[in-house]
Amino acid sequence: MSKRWLFLSAAAVLIVVSLALVLLPGDKNGEDVKAEAGRAATGSAANSPSASGTSTVSAAPSARATDASKKPSTTPSAHPTATSATPSATKPRQQAAGTASLAGRIRPGVTYRGVATFYDADGGGACLYDPGHDVLTGAMNTTDYESSKACGAYVLVHAAGGATVTVRITNECPGDCAPGQIDLSAQAFAKLASPSAGRIPITWNLVSPSTSDTISIRYKTGSSRYWCGIQAIGHRNPLARLEVLAGGTWRQLPRASYNYFLSESGSGCGGAIRLTDIYGEQLTVPALAVRPDVVQSTRLQFAKH
């Protein structure tokens, strides 16, 4: 073979190989692979613990921050609902309003000023309680007696010098007894001052004493199923209402100045009785037989305040 032919053959082979290298897709993909490898290397370096950690540390907390930012937007909106549904915030206001509306002139937490005198308190008095073993009693002036609303109330009387005595109101002091004045039993007055003083300045306030006694009920003389008068005896706190159950409905009875609640038509006579004190507490006495002028005991008593 001639040298010229060998040269031409070698040149042709080189041309074919060059064309093949140009036309092969591997070059273009190779560039892509290199670029992808470069990006992968960059990303790997950014996420590597040896890197600054900006991508790794900031990415995870950003997701938690987003979740946390959602919680405040939902949690506070639930709190007002829970608060408004909680009755503890409204109870004190309701109780105060109830106390103000149920109490008469003599109210809890109020200090009254007046004078104390004394009298022979052997009888039962205007409240028509039976004379009992308790000799520490008082007759309330007509204004504060308030048509028998003061009957059965306990008041703590303070005299100059610090002497005190607690008395139960069983009577009315009419005539010249001024508002704030209490005509005490002789025994009660003696605990404050010498009887020779006759008349002393005092302050007094309503109290809710400790007691082991329970409330009793008495039907007035002449009571029947056609007409009755009902009296509550021995209640710790002043009585605000007395109701009778008539026809499935509680009916409030009016209170006479002699401390009986009257059912003129006989409604509820002999049925259940509901008592309410000035603090709003209610006690239900089961039905009692109409037994005129007989004291019938219960197991009930108002709470101490």
Side-chain angles (χ1 to χ4, degrees):
M1 183 177 295
S2 64
K3 292 182 179 179
R4 187 167 179 256
W5 171 250
L6 290 175
F7 175 78
L8 290 175
S9 298
V13 171
L14 287 174
I15 291 172
V16 171
V17 171
S18 298
L19 288 174
L21 290 173
V22 171
L23 295 177
L24 277 176
D27 274 349
K28 186 176 182 179
N29 288 346
E31 291 175 359
D32 292 340
V33 169
K34 288 179 182 179
E36 191 68 26
R39 286 194 294 271
T42 303
S44 174
N47 291 324
S48 171
S50 63
S52 64
T54 303
S55 297
T56 304
V57 176
S58 64
S62 66
R64 289 193 292 270
T66 303
D67 292 340
S69 65
K70 289 180 181 178
K71 289 180 182 178
S73 65
T74 56
T75 305
S77 65
H79 285 309
T81 304
T83 303
S84 62
T86 303
S88 61
T90 58
K91 276 185 176 180
R93 289 193 292 272
Q94 290 174 346
Q95 186 174 6
T99 301
S101 62
L102 291 174
R105 287 181 56 86
I106 303 176
R107 297 169 178 262
V110 177
T111 297
Y112 300 85
R113 295 184 179 277
V115 297
T117 50
F118 67 93
Y119 76 111
D120 184 3
D122 291 339
C127 295
L128 295 188
Y129 296 135
D130 291 333
H133 62 278
D134 185 8
V135 295
L136 302 179
T137 61
M140 186 62 72
N141 67 84
T142 297
T143 301
D144 294 320
Y145 181 78
E146 201 175 0
S147 188
S148 80
K149 282 187 178 181
C151 285
Y154 288 87
V155 296
L156 177 62
V157 183
H158 303 257
T164 63
V165 64
T166 299
V167 298
R168 184 169 67 109
I169 302 304
T170 61
N171 203 354
E172 178 185 9
C173 178
D176 60 351
C177 277
Q181 182 174 348
I182 304 178
D183 205 17
L184 300 172
S185 64
Q187 295 90 335
F189 188 91
K191 290 185 176 294
L192 301 177
S194 170
S196 62
R199 182 184 184 94
I200 60 173
I202 59 168
T203 59
W204 55 273
N205 57 276
L206 183 69
V207 292
S208 177
S210 299
T211 179
S212 58
D213 294 340
T214 56
I215 298 172
S216 297
I217 299 294
R218 175 164 53 193
Y219 279 97
K220 196 178 186 308
T221 302
S223 293
S224 69
R225 61 191 180 98
Y226 304 106
W227 178 95
C228 67
I230 307 173
Q231 182 186 63
I233 306 169
H235 41 88
R236 171 188 274 128
N237 306 319
L239 199 60
R241 288 198 299 254
L242 186 148
E243 300 164 281
V244 291
L245 188 61
T249 302
W250 288 106
R251 178 189 170 202
Q252 184 176 344
L253 300 184
R255 190 176 196 169
S257 60
Y258 50 85
N259 195 34
Y260 272 87
F261 294 82
L262 306 179
S263 177
E264 301 282 0
S265 64
S267 298
C269 295
I273 300 169
R274 186 163 69 182
L275 307 173
T276 305
D277 69 3
I278 63 171
Y279 298 98
E281 183 182 1
Q282 293 184 326
L283 302 175
T284 301
V285 180
L288 298 172
V290 180
R291 301 171 60 194
D293 207 27
V294 174
V295 176
Q296 302 186 62
S297 62
T298 73
R299 296 182 179 180
L300 304 174
Q301 184 58 272
F302 291 119
K304 187 179 185 300
H305 288 265

